[in-house]
């Protein structure tokens, strides 16, 4: 506490001081013996430069200063004062024992009328041999120096680029301690400390701006969530915003929603957002892919069955509608549901009840239905393959998800999202996308939409040899004739076919060896397990190795 009071007294002069500033007591003039530093002084100065030149954290830097300076300048108390906003000074009292990681003790006080403020404003040294010299101009500093039995004061402006960034001060109990201080040594010490402090403050500003940018990024993300509440739907195009607005309006209701759009546009994400922002979000969200269930088992999957209801029904099964009771059921690819099941589904939508196969007991459910399709149900209805009454029951609140080619502005955020996702998953550092690649991705028509884009980016991350993502030229805009062609006029393969062909060529060239320094995984710069996973996903097998 005494040291803290001493620092405050030294820097906290009366704010009403109006007399002319105190003239600095000059350091002794240099003589011939003061021009060159001695070996010990050079060694000390080199140690100071080494110690403080590598620290960019304030506490570490000031700790290094405390360790070095106490060995070359007489001191019982010393510290640094920095000017901050609102005409204030932030003081850091350095510990004489100089523990590098020990935090300094900052203080905050008004700047005007203090000794350090005078040094800051005049860019001059202040050397005091006895505290009585401060009695008239800096009485508070005088009183605390008297309380601490300090007699001598040396305050040095830390100047870089013509600007005084701070003041370095020393105090000692002996009178006249700084009268014969070596000016050349102290000036070079001040210069080294000023340069180190300037670097430290510059890096602090960089860190501040970086943290501010990170905070703003988090804020903007939170604002987007607050506006739309959809953290899984990536993009900011007007077309996508319209979809989000529709989701916001219908999600809190129990209305049946029909999501239409091409394959890979993200219909499932829309369905999930509808559930997550409804009053049913604490209950089940059950997904049924109607196209993936064999036609003879769709009814059993949806409504369940009793044991022995049909051949192979060896035990009772609970249907998806029962599982979704008081929650949401998502019927994906509803256009593929068999005609004989459509009538039973219509009854559930109208009456909220059904009978499991093989049972005469009616099951009542409270389920919100969300359906999705990439088919033209109106055309299917006209053709007689889809019931008109079911269509109108499903089409209470339609949401059309636009294809990716209709919202090219969303390509860039999706690309960055998938890069981060797969770079993290694979363990590669991919930080940027070349302009040519991004332009190619934005101009490609994406027949497979977001799902195709995701596959392309996953493949590109796997194959990327460096931190900048590159996508091969198979991704190209349509030609002027309206046909997809490559640079030689030939047909463009889908990205999945292109990846399959590339892996096949590499495997053939490596004799179908995956592991090892000469294996295909090494040639493709991917983990062998990652390559095996891609081979399985793309259906690449040894039987594909046919003569060409």
């Amino acid at each position: 506490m005494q040291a803290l009071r001493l620092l405050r007294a030294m820097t906290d002069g009366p704010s009403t001081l109006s007399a002319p500033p105190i003239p600095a007591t000059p350091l002794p003039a240099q003589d011939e013996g003061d021009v060159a530093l001695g070996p010990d002084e050079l060694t000390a100065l080199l140690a100071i430069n080494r110690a403080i030149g590598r620290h960019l954290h304030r506490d570490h830097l000031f700790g290094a200063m405390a360790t070095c300076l106490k060995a070359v300048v007489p001191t019982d108390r010393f510290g640094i004062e920095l000017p901050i906003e609102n005409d204030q000074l932030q003081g850091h009292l350095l510990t004489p024992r100089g523990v590098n990681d020990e935090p300094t003790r900052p203080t905050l006080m008004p700047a005007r009328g203090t000794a350090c403020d005078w040094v800051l404003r005049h860019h001059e040294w202040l050397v005091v041999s006895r505290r009585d010299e401060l009695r008239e101009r800096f009485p508070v500093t005088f009183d605390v120096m008297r309380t601490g039995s300090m007699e001598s004061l040396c305050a040095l402006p830390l100047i870089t680029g013509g600007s005084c960034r701070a003041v370095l001060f020393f105090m000692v109990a002996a009178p006249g301690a700084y009268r014969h201080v070596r000016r050349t040594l102290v000036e070079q010490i001040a210069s080294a400390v000023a340069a180190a402090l300037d670097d430290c403050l510059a890096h602090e500003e960089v860190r501040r701006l970086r943290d501010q940018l990170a905070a703003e990024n988090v804020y903007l993300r939170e604002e987007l969530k607050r506006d739309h509440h959809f953290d899984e739907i990536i993009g900011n195009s007007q077309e996508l915003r319209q979809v989000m607005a529709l989701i916001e309006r219908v999600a809190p209701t129990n209305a049946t929603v029909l999501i239409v759009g091409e394959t890979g546009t993200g219909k499932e994400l829309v369905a999930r957002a509808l559930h997550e922002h409804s009053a049913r979000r604490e209950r089940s969200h059950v997904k049924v892919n109607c196209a993936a269930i064999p036609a003879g088992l769709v009814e059993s999957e949806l409504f369940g069955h009793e044991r022995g209801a049909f051949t192979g029904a060896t035990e009772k099964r609970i249907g998806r509608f029962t599982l979704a009771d008081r929650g949401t059921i998502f019927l994906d690819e509803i256009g593929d549901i068999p005609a004989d099941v459509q009538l039973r589904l219509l009854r559930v939508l109208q009456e909220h009840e059904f009978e499991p196969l093989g049972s005469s007991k009616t099951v009542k459910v409270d389920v919100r239905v969300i359906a999705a399709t990439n088919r033209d149900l109106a055309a299917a209805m006209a053709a007689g393959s889809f019931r008109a009454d079911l269509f109108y029951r499903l089409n209470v609140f339609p949401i059309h998800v636009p294809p990716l080619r209709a919202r090219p502005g969303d390509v860039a955020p999706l690309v960055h999202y998938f890069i981060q996702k797969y770079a993290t998953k694979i363990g590669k550092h991919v930080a940027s996308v070349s302009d040519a690649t991004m332009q190619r991705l934005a101009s490609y028509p994406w027949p497979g939409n977001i799902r195709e884009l995701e596959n392309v980016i996953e493949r590109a991350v796997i194959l990327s040899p460096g931190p900048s993502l590159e996508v091969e030229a198979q991704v190209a805009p349509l030609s002027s004739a309206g046909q997809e062609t490559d640079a030689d006029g030939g047909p463009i393969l889908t990205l999945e076919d292109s990846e399959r062909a590339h892996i096949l060529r590499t495997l053939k060239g490596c004799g179908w060896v995956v592991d090892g320094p000469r294996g295909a995984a090494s040639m493709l710069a991917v983990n062998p397990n990652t390559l095996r996973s891609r081979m399985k996903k793309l259906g690449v097998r040894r039987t594909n190795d046919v003569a060409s």
Side-chain angles (χ1 to χ4, degrees):
M1 292 299 297
Q2 182 179 358
L4 188 60
R5 288 195 299 272
L6 178 62
L7 176 62
R8 183 179 296 276
M10 181 202 163
T11 57
D12 196 9
S15 60
T16 59
L17 188 64
S18 57
I22 182 172
T25 302
L27 286 177
Q30 292 187 182
D31 54 32
E32 293 183 359
D34 197 36
V35 174
L37 298 178
D40 292 341
E41 293 172 327
L42 287 172
T43 300
L45 185 61
L46 181 61
I48 291 171
N49 277 279
R50 285 176 175 172
I52 67 180
R54 63 174 181 265
H55 293 290
L56 296 176
H57 188 279
R58 184 175 297 199
D59 283 339
H60 295 174
L61 174 64
F62 290 170
M65 288 181 183
T67 301
C68 299
L69 297 179
K70 68 185 182 67
V72 293
V73 179
T75 183
D76 293 321
R77 295 286 187 272
F78 67 112
I80 289 178
E81 294 284 346
L82 296 101
I84 59 174
E85 65 277 359
N86 299 325
D87 198 25
Q88 292 181 307
L89 291 176
Q90 186 178 68
H92 294 266
L93 185 63
L94 306 182
T95 170
R97 64 180 179 274
V99 179
N100 284 353
D101 291 335
E102 181 177 344
T104 60
R105 288 167 283 172
T107 61
L108 195 64
M109 69 284 296
R112 289 297 176 182
T114 65
C116 284
D117 181 57
W118 186 93
V119 173
L120 280 166
R121 287 187 285 110
H122 291 81
H123 295 199
E124 294 186 18
W125 298 52
L126 180 63
V127 177
V128 177
S129 295
R130 290 189 176 274
R131 61 176 175 261
D132 283 344
E133 299 176 34
L134 302 176
R135 184 190 296 271
E136 297 298 326
R137 288 288 158 255
F138 300 104
V140 177
T141 303
F142 163 78
D143 286 342
V144 177
M145 287 185 70
R146 180 180 59 186
T147 302
S149 300
M150 298 290 113
E151 283 286 350
S152 300
L153 168 68
C154 179
L156 316 173
L158 300 179
I159 300 173
T160 55
S163 174
C164 186
R165 302 296 300 272
V167 174
L168 174 65
F169 68 87
F170 301 90
M171 293 185 290
V172 73
Y178 304 113
R179 181 177 302 168
H180 301 294
V181 67
R182 291 264 287 166
R183 185 184 184 99
T184 302
L185 174 63
V186 178
E187 283 183 340
Q188 293 197 41
I189 289 174
S191 178
V193 172
L197 180 63
D198 196 56
D199 286 346
C200 175
L201 296 178
H203 278 78
E204 282 187 359
E205 179 66 8
V206 169
R207 289 194 296 268
R208 185 190 69 80
L209 292 174
R210 179 199 63 196
D211 294 342
Q212 177 182 338
L213 183 62
E216 289 175 353
N217 187 39
V218 171
Y219 170 78
L220 290 174
R221 287 178 179 270
E222 290 302 317
E223 281 295 299
L224 187 61
K225 290 180 183 179
R226 193 157 29 244
D227 286 343
H228 302 291
H229 313 284
F230 312 130
D231 53 356
E232 290 185 307
I233 300 177
I234 309 299
N236 198 35
S237 64
Q238 181 62 34
E239 294 80 5
L240 190 60
R241 283 183 172 273
Q242 291 174 356
V243 172
M244 292 176 176
L246 291 174
I247 296 172
E248 275 195 326
R249 297 190 68 175
V250 75
T253 75
N254 285 319
T256 301
V257 178
L258 179 62
I259 308 169
V260 296
E262 297 178 6
T263 298
T265 52
K267 297 187 291 295
E268 183 177 350
L269 293 182
V270 173
R272 192 179 306 164
L274 287 167
H275 172 74
E276 291 296 329
H277 298 89
S278 73
R280 300 171 180 263
R281 58 184 169 272
E282 301 299 328
R283 308 296 298 182
S284 299
H285 174 64
V286 178
K287 177 188 173 183
V288 182
N289 188 332
C290 301
I293 305 172
L297 296 180
V298 173
E299 194 171 7
S300 173
E301 284 289 329
L302 292 179
F303 309 114
H305 65 254
E306 296 293 323
R307 180 179 179 182
F310 53 85
T311 303
T314 58
E315 59 184 17
K316 181 178 179 178
R317 180 183 183 88
I318 301 298
R320 303 293 183 92
F321 268 93
T322 303
L323 293 175
D325 189 27
R326 299 173 62 193
T328 304
I329 190 167
F330 174 46
L331 302 176
D332 198 9
E333 306 297 350
I334 190 68
D336 293 304
I337 196 168
D340 58 335
V341 183
Q342 293 179 24
L343 181 59
R344 297 201 65 185
L345 179 58
L346 176 64
R347 181 188 173 197
V348 176
L349 289 170
Q350 291 177 331
E351 309 296 336
H352 306 287
E353 63 182 28
F354 60 90
E355 290 84 29
L357 291 177
S359 173
S360 59
K361 183 179 180 181
T362 299
V363 177
K364 287 191 170 289
V365 290
D366 174 16
V367 177
R368 183 188 191 175
V369 175
I370 300 173
T373 183
N374 61 358
R375 297 179 58 186
D376 184 349
L377 292 187
M381 178 182 65
S385 60
F386 200 87
R387 293 183 63 99
D389 46 5
L390 178 58
F391 171 75
Y392 293 124
R393 276 289 175 181
L394 292 171
N395 200 40
V396 174
F397 195 96
I399 295 179
H400 176 256
V401 184
L404 188 54
R405 62 181 174 275
R407 49 188 182 103
D410 290 337
V411 171
L414 284 166
V415 167
H416 290 293
Y417 173 79
F418 291 134
I419 286 175
Q420 183 180 21
K421 174 182 177 180
Y422 288 107
T424 302
K425 180 180 179 180
I426 296 170
K428 294 185 71 172
H429 175 65
V430 181
S432 62
V433 184
S434 69
D435 291 341
T437 291
M438 188 61 78
Q439 183 177 4
R440 189 180 302 124
L441 292 171
S443 60
Y444 181 68
W446 297 113
N449 291 293
I450 298 172
R451 186 176 296 125
E452 182 185 7
L453 174 62
E454 180 175 6
N455 291 339
V456 168
I457 299 304
E458 180 183 8
R459 172 180 180 272
V461 169
I462 293 171
L463 298 177
S464 180
S468 180
L469 188 82
E470 298 288 345
V471 175
E472 294 180 359
Q474 279 86 354
V475 180
L478 292 175
S479 70
S480 57
Q483 298 295 322
E484 295 182 15
T485 59
D486 59 21
D488 299 322
I492 294 179
L493 299 175
T494 67
L495 268 297
E496 193 169 273
D497 288 340
S498 176
E499 180 181 3
R500 184 184 296 107
H502 185 65
I503 291 176
L504 273 171
R505 284 195 302 269
T506 306
L507 285 166
K508 291 176 183 178
C510 297
W512 286 88
V513 176
V514 174
D515 290 336
R518 296 185 179 181
S522 177
M523 297 293 291
L524 294 171
V526 297
N527 185 282
N529 290 333
T530 301
L531 178 57
R532 291 189 182 96
S533 176
R534 295 302 300 164
M535 291 169 62
K536 182 177 180 181
K537 182 176 182 179
L538 296 170
V540 177
R541 292 180 290 273
R542 186 66 180 264
T543 54
N544 289 340
D545 188 12
V546 295
S548 58

